[in-house]
């Protein structure tokens, strides 16, 4: 077997593992939502370990974004989850890094556009077809079969998790690129 054939097999194997891992994470986001976590928590927690967060940290940092940010029916919590992940992975911690800030905002805008293309809207109230008149309550609805039947949230959480998984796969960080390329190199 030639080196190139072997490298191609290894690359294919790694791609299959990554794809399987991505689908596992999408499924995990859906399972988290169905278990009672809000839309934002479900998306963030499914990818938390890849970004150095514990499950508990992910659930806490994303807790306020469910229901369209605090159940105010504004920006969808699943979309907010994607944006939180983008900041954790591609954000900057340097207050003077305007290029890094701009790049992060570009990424968020790209993700938001993709979310809108796939779901039709970015706002929770529009996604749910609600006319809220500003009379939202802070009390979450009970998660019953009727709740899941009338809300598209499970599909939206799944779409959001898949958007992030696909984006992350297509846009590895420099560290991820070097790890991926070094795994295919051989020692002389």
């Amino acid at each position: 077997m030639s080196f190139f054939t072997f490298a191609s097999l290894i690359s294919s194997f790694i791609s299959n593992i990554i794809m399987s891992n991505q689908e596992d994470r999408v499924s995990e986001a859906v399972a988290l939502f169905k278990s009672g976590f809000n839309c934002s928590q479900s998306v963030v927690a499914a990818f938390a370990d890849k970004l150095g967060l514990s499950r508990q940290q992910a659930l806490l940092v994303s807790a306020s974004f469910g229901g369209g940010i605090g159940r105010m029916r504004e920006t969808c919590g699943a979309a907010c989850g994607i944006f939180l992940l983008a900041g954790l992975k591609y954000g900057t911690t340097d207050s003077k890094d305007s290029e890094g800030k701009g790049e992060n905002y570009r990424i968020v805008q790209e993700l938001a556009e993709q979310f809108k293309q796939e779901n039709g809207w970015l706002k929770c109230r529009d996604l749910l077809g609600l006319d809220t008149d500003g009379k939202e309550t802070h009390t979450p609805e009970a998660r019953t079969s009727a709740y899941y039947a009338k809300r598209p949230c499970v599909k939206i959480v799944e779409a959001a998790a898949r958007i992030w998984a696909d984006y992350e796969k297509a846009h590895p960080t420099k560290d991820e690129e070097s790890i991926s390329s070094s795994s295919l190199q051989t020692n002389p």
Side-chain angles (χ1 to χ4, degrees), residues 87 90-102 104-105:
Y90 304 106
T92 181
T93 58
D94 180 353
S95 65
K96 296 178 179 22
D97 182 7
S98 58
E99 184 177 318
K101 289 177 191 177
N104 185 53
Y105 297 157

Side-chain angles (χ1 to χ4, degrees), residues 38-56:
N38 75 40
C39 45
S40 187
Q41 288 176 306
S42 300
V43 172
V44 175
F47 295 90
D49 63 309
K50 290 182 74 176
L51 299 168
L53 290 181
S54 69
R55 169 74 50 100
Q56 181 180 14

Side-chain angles (χ1 to χ4, degrees), residues 70-71 73 136-142:
R71 209 165 183 277
R73 306 302 186 201
E136 280 304 313
T137 174
H138 63 276
T139 307
E141 286 185 57

Side-chain angles (χ1 to χ4, degrees), residues 76 115 119-130 152 156:
C76 171
F115 184 91
N119 297 293
W121 307 94
L122 189 58
K123 285 197 174 195
C124 177
R125 77 172 60 91
D126 296 329
L127 290 162
L128 298 180
L130 299 175
I156 292 169

